[in-house]
Amino acid sequence: MLKFTPLLLAIIYGIVMYRFSAWRLGKTLDQQSTELADPQLKRFTDKLAAALDLPRIKVHIYEVDPVNGLAAPDGRIFITRGFFNKYRQGDVTAEELTSVIAHELGHVALGHSRRRMIDFSGQNALRTALILIIGRILPGIGVLIANALTSMLAARLSRSDEYEADAYAAALLSKAGIGIGPQISLFGKLEELTKSRKGVVPAWLMSHPATEDRIAALRKLEAKWSNT
């Protein structure tokens, strides 16, 4: 039993930290967000709502500068102020911003937030196990190797979620009569929209699949649907 205690503690720690992070994020979002009210954008979100048999889709603006979308653990959908400003400036169309909302709806519908808790707990357990095993073989650097391997796994799982949310959004946009064109055109803009002034790799691209791969996956879906 004592042999498995570190793993059990790691799993418990992962669950507690996830719950705490979700609670803290919820409080931050409550304090730094307002409901989105834009007539032009509402025309397109109403189309998504109709496709989902919902009365409406509520979207919030998260008052931060980075360009991003967010599906909160409680199911709320957010667009950052930075993203909304790009739309207001004409850098992003209403259809393209709607495709982001559809993508975030995908994360909610597919249960990615709940999966994150399971993944986070499992990754902590795996990290602990790797530290115990590799640490005996390579004392000193075992922790670094274990952390690197766990981070690689987390990135792979995150990219898998993004592909799934992309596919969900593509299906929803198609059903709503908007099509996947806005998704593809937005992907072509993302690197420019999200790049740092200091030239570092955009945070969006670090946690998401390569843009070319996402576009290719969408084109494959489009071809598949057009042949059915």
Side-chain angles (χ1 to χ4, degrees):
M1 179 63 185
L2 292 176
K3 195 184 299 184
F4 296 102
T5 298
L7 295 180
L8 292 174
L9 290 175
I11 293 172
I12 293 170
Y13 171 78
I15 294 172
V16 171
M17 286 304 297
Y18 176 86
R19 295 286 190 186
F20 175 73
S21 297
W23 172 82
R24 185 173 59 182
L25 175 61
K27 296 291 286 185
T28 300
L29 292 173
D30 288 342
Q31 296 166 0
Q32 299 183 32
S33 68
T34 54
E35 187 173 351
L36 172 62
D38 182 89
Q40 184 181 6
L41 194 58
K42 186 177 184 299
R43 288 195 300 111
F44 291 101
T45 57
D46 282 349
K47 290 183 178 182
L48 298 184
L52 291 170
D53 244 358
L54 296 174
R56 72 172 182 134
I57 290 174
K58 194 173 182 180
V59 182
H60 299 79
I61 294 183
Y62 181 26
E63 299 292 344
V64 294
D65 290 331
V67 172
N68 214 336
L70 170 69
D74 60 11
R76 288 181 293 171
I77 304 299
F78 294 83
I79 296 295
T80 63
R81 174 62 69 179
F83 218 151
F84 186 68
N85 286 342
K86 295 292 184 183
Y87 158 67
R88 294 293 295 271
Q89 294 163 9
D91 297 324
V92 174
T93 68
E95 293 92 333
E96 288 170 341
L97 198 56
T98 302
S99 76
V100 178
I101 294 168
H103 176 91
E104 300 307 329
L105 286 169
H107 282 308
V108 174
L110 297 170
H112 289 162
S113 294
R114 292 190 299 273
R115 187 190 301 175
R116 277 284 169 265
M117 182 175 71
I118 298 171
D119 291 346
F120 192 67
S121 304
Q123 287 159 26
N124 273 286
L126 177 62
R127 182 183 290 108
T128 301
L130 289 174
I131 289 172
L132 291 173
I133 296 169
I134 301 175
R136 291 178 181 177
I137 303 171
L138 299 169
I141 63 170
V143 173
L144 297 177
I145 296 174
N147 285 335
L149 291 173
T150 309
S151 296
M152 288 172 61
L153 174 62
R156 182 174 181 178
L157 292 172
S158 177
R159 288 193 290 271
S160 175
D161 284 355
E162 296 306 316
Y163 280 123
E164 289 181 4
D166 283 349
Y168 179 96
L172 176 56
L173 291 164
S174 297
K175 185 178 179 181
I178 300 170
I180 70 170
Q183 264 184 300
I184 293 174
S185 61
L186 180 63
F187 284 150
K189 300 177 180 179
L190 275 182
E191 186 169 0
E192 181 65 26
L193 290 172
T194 60
K195 72 179 181 181
S196 165
R197 293 176 183 175
K198 296 181 181 179
V200 298
V201 177
W204 181 294
L205 299 180
M206 290 175 67
S207 59
H208 291 61
T211 300
E212 300 80 13
D213 293 340
R214 297 177 79 174
I215 292 175
L218 287 175
R219 297 239 184 249
K220 188 175 180 180
L221 278 176
E222 187 178 37
K224 178 182 176 181
W225 291 339
S226 63
N227 292 327
T228 57

